[in-house]
Amino acid sequence: MKAARLVVLTIALAAGGVAAMLAGRSEKPRQTAVAPPPQVATVDVLVAKNNIDIGHKLTPGDVTWQPWPANANTGNFIRRQDHPRAIEGLLGALARSPFVAGEPIRNAKLVLAKGSGYLAAILPAGMRPVSISITPDSAASGFILPNDRVDVILTKRDRQAEKQTGTEVHISETILNDVRVLAIGQDVQEKDNQKVAPGKTATLELTPSQAETIELARQTGTLALSLRSLADVGKGGQRTNDDNDRGNAVNMVRFGVNTVITPR
């Protein structure tokens, strides 16, 4: 009987060990709780939506708002919470330096339409801005606007003809054809529905040689602007027969009476 009891006890202990082993294997390992990543505070910053080249005029499609880490934000960035209408305010501004896509927009790299440096930024390479005095009579009654094309007319006294005729003689001639108006007064932009641009000066876009012509003409007579039709843009070197006739017109003044003579 003792041997039988020992066998039964041994079997029972073996069965218990196997059961304990199986129970241990079936238990799932405990998972260690992982702390969530810390939340990064962000602000909306105005960035370039596409690559922007030097001299490019900004449009609404060139910039967009993008979340930016608040601790990486500098005072040079344009934040939405500070300037909610920044996109509208920068329309028409020119890039003084290039931007790459995703780069924050900074005022230091832009030339605003009303800011200093704008005129230099919109000038094509090799061109010069030259201002002349104008009046409503000499500038188409104020209907000449920025970006219009004009001819420049010089009116002066013909001293040689006066010696021969003994009367006061004035001649008018077109000295420059098809030049661009950069500004009227301080206005350098076209305005919607603007019909008249009053101003005391007109700034023209000229080559260096044209600028010298204007400076010389300023000393010899009075200058006036003749507005060109949009259909004439790009035809600055072409003059009609009517242009040629008017360029040779002579205004003779005898006893206070003006007489215009056109040589044939």
Side-chain angles (χ1 to χ4, degrees), residues 4 52 93 104 135 149 154 157 163 166 181 183 205 226 229 257:
I52 299 175
T135 64
R149 313 290 297 197
L154 169 64
R157 294 180 63 176
K163 292 179 181 179
V181 178
E205 177 187 275
S226 177
S229 167
V257 178

Side-chain angles (χ1 to χ4, degrees), residues 153-210:
I153 300 173
L154 169 64
T155 300
K156 63 180 180 179
R157 294 180 63 176
D158 190 338
R159 304 293 183 179
Q160 190 68 26
E162 289 180 356
K163 292 179 181 179
Q164 298 176 358
T165 62
T167 59
E168 185 178 319
V169 179
H170 291 81
I171 60 173
S172 295
E173 59 179 333
T174 300
I175 58 174
L176 295 178
N177 288 288
D178 195 18
V179 297
R180 177 189 173 202
V181 178
L182 292 173
I184 297 293
Q186 297 296 318
D187 189 5
V188 295
Q189 288 185 310
E190 296 176 277
K191 295 181 180 178
D192 295 338
N193 301 320
Q194 183 180 9
K195 296 181 179 180
V196 177
K200 295 182 179 180
T201 60
T203 303
L204 308 178
E205 177 187 275
L206 305 176
T207 64
S209 61
Q210 289 175 329

Side-chain angles (χ1 to χ4, degrees), residues 1 12 14 85 114 189-190 194 241 258:
M1 293 296 295
R85 300 184 61 85
K114 294 297 183 180
Q189 288 185 310
E190 296 176 277
Q194 183 180 9
N241 292 333
N258 295 334

Side-chain angles (χ1 to χ4, degrees), residues 8-81:
V8 172
L9 181 59
T10 301
I11 293 174
L13 290 175
V18 172
M21 184 181 299
L22 294 177
R25 289 182 179 181
S26 63
E27 289 182 0
K28 295 182 180 180
R30 295 181 179 179
Q31 295 181 351
T32 303
V34 179
Q39 295 292 328
V40 178
T42 62
V43 293
D44 285 344
V45 170
L46 193 65
V47 302
K49 194 174 183 179
N50 310 295
N51 291 340
I52 299 175
D53 296 325
I54 295 176
H56 178 75
K57 183 180 291 187
L58 293 187
T59 66
D62 293 324
V63 294
T64 186
W65 295 107
Q66 179 175 299
W68 200 266
N71 58 3
N73 179 36
T74 72
N76 294 328
F77 295 171
I78 300 175
R79 302 191 304 177
R80 192 172 194 170
Q81 64 188 41

